[in-house]
Amino acid sequence: MTNPKVLVVGGGIGGMTAALVLARFGAEVDIVERNRRLGGHAAEFACKALEACVKCGACLVAETLEAAATHPRISAYTDSRVEAITSGDRFAYTLRKTPGTAIRGEADAVVIAAGFGTFDPSTKPYGYGRFPNIITNLDLERMLRANVKAVRPSDGGAPKRMAFIQCVGSRDAKLGHLWCSQFCCGAALRAARLIRRRQPQTDITIFFIDIQTFGRDFESFYRESQREIRFIRAIPGDAFQVEDSGIRLSYMDDSSRQSREEVFDLVVLSTGMVPPEGLAQTADDLGLALAPSGYVAAQAHRGVFAAGAVRGPMRIEETIADARHTACQVLAFLGIKGGSPEPLVVERRTIVSHLVAPGRG
């Protein structure tokens, strides 16, 4: 097939990675992103390097974003949506820029890489949205990017006592969210250690169900974290604002089986992943089946492919690997064969991608 065209729905790390692989094999790619910029949620993550890189993945997003934005075979449509799409010999679609005119170009394959949504914690009894010093993990990421340090939104002061509450909206049978969101534990531990190094006067407590492993160096990283951070195996049931906009948390102590209360200056809710808005309609339009969880159940169906967190919660590095795998499937579907692609940026240095052309094994 000459000059094949691929539509990628979603401009996060998964969509950009898939687009880069496809473009480097010669495909023309349209990336459609509903937000005003590419990068998705991961573009808001702060680098959490200490003495050395802690593999949080934040730098991968910036490098992939630059590569995707400058590649001559990739056209990015931000602040846009796929308004209509039909399949025949090719996929015909209409892009609607918000606000603006409609754009109509065709594609030979479609990749759904719409990423994930985040759980709304205002439905939990923690006072998010009412108490200024209760924030989410993504709020904290933006804060660390903008201010370098953690501060209390109520007055801009440095917190002396800080708490993370894990699994807010994840692993919750009442919500029907039985999945682990994968990235929350790693993000909380890395952020907590970064804050401790930059603000050593801050005491940090992490409330958790259990700590999910991440990366090959997890055990040593966790042991080091335990020397700097207090871990409590309990999830607070309530939060109340007290004097000076402090937050009182009540929880059941696992060892004594007694109810306890503590006051913190800043509380971070580690909110979990949920399927992105509009995924059900997009999947229905294109014939992709959804699992009971609301995520895409299959990776491919008649020229339509799914990549990244639309298939279930994934960390950044897992999303990148999944997007590469999906891109290989798309290339095989398009009948594109040949040599290895151009080097793909996957770390702070440029290394040769592990991808091989379809059919070469």
Side-chain angles (χ1 to χ4, degrees):
M1 181 181 295
T2 59
N3 300 320
K5 179 77 171 290
V6 180
L7 169 65
V8 176
V9 181
I13 185 64
M16 291 190 299
T17 298
L20 277 170
V21 175
L22 292 165
R24 283 166 174 157
F25 271 102
E28 299 290 330
V29 182
D30 280 353
I31 299 178
V32 182
E33 170 56 49
R34 67 175 55 194
N35 294 310
R36 293 183 178 179
R37 55 166 179 72
L38 299 178
H41 291 297
E44 300 175 314
F45 291 0
C47 175
K48 301 174 188 69
L50 302 173
E51 291 83 5
C53 177
V54 293
K55 299 175 182 171
C56 67
C59 58
L60 300 181
V61 181
E63 293 173 347
T64 305
L65 176 58
E66 181 180 2
T70 57
H71 200 288
R73 285 190 288 274
I74 296 177
S75 299
Y77 298 89
T78 57
D79 202 19
S80 302
R81 295 171 183 255
V82 178
E83 189 173 67
I85 187 165
T86 58
S87 59
D89 292 337
R90 302 182 82 195
F91 293 93
Y93 54 95
T94 301
L95 307 183
R96 177 73 65 178
K97 194 167 179 65
T98 310
T101 59
I103 301 172
R104 292 181 175 84
E106 292 181 339
D108 302 290
V110 179
V111 176
I112 306 301
F116 63 94
T118 55
F119 175 74
D120 179 6
S122 63
T123 61
K124 288 288 188 178
Y126 296 131
Y128 180 76
R130 294 187 295 121
F131 305 151
N133 293 328
I134 293 184
I135 64 175
T136 68
N137 45 350
L138 288 179
D139 294 332
L140 178 65
E141 295 283 353
R142 299 183 194 105
M143 181 185 293
L144 292 175
R145 282 179 64 92
N147 302 325
V148 179
K149 296 183 178 181
V151 297
R152 286 166 32 110
S154 63
D155 56 15
K160 294 181 179 178
R161 301 193 74 217
M162 185 173 171
F164 288 77
I165 301 177
Q166 299 301 102
C167 297
V168 178
S170 301
R171 305 176 66 179
D172 192 326
K174 291 182 180 179
L175 296 171
H177 296 180
L178 303 180
W179 56 84
C180 168
S181 290
Q182 301 292 324
F183 80 102
C184 309
C185 286
L189 264 65
R190 293 183 181 109
R193 291 195 65 193
L194 181 68
I195 293 166
R196 282 284 298 159
R197 297 296 175 86
R198 291 179 176 174
Q199 301 166 260
Q201 78 282 1
T202 303
D203 291 327
I204 299 179
T205 298
I206 294 181
F207 292 94
F208 70 102
I209 297 174
D210 53 44
I211 298 295
Q212 296 296 307
T213 61
F214 54 90
R216 289 176 293 181
D217 302 324
F218 168 77
E219 290 298 335
S220 60
F221 188 86
Y222 186 37
R223 284 195 300 270
E224 292 170 4
S225 299
Q226 288 175 306
R227 291 196 287 268
E228 302 179 60
I229 303 161
R230 183 174 64 146
F231 290 82
I232 297 179
R233 190 186 292 272
I235 298 297
D238 295 289
F240 301 94
Q241 184 166 278
V242 295
E243 185 179 359
D244 195 29
S245 298
I247 303 297
R248 185 176 75 233
L249 298 180
S250 59
Y251 65 95
M252 182 66 68
D253 185 89
D254 190 55
S255 57
S256 66
R257 307 307 300 170
Q258 294 182 342
S259 178
R260 298 188 180 279
E261 292 185 343
E262 295 188 44
V263 176
F264 297 91
D265 300 308
L266 182 65
V267 174
V268 180
L269 307 179
S270 289
T271 52
M273 292 182 177
V274 296
E277 180 186 354
L279 178 61
Q281 184 61 56
T282 301
D284 185 62
D285 290 343
L286 294 171
L288 279 176
L290 297 183
S293 62
Y295 292 99
V296 175
Q299 195 169 24
H301 175 73
R302 296 182 182 176
V304 182
F305 301 82
V310 293
R311 303 201 310 113
M314 297 182 188
R315 300 189 297 271
I316 289 177
E317 62 272 23
E318 292 172 325
T319 298
I320 291 172
D322 190 71
R324 289 175 177 165
H325 177 68
T326 299
C328 279
Q329 290 185 312
V330 177
L331 292 169
F333 172 79
L334 296 174
I336 299 177
K337 299 180 180 179
S340 297
E342 303 164 26
L344 184 64
V345 175
V346 294
E347 294 185 345
R348 284 194 174 277
R349 63 187 187 281
T350 300
I351 67 174
V352 177
S353 169
H354 292 107
L355 283 171
V356 293
R360 297 205 40 197

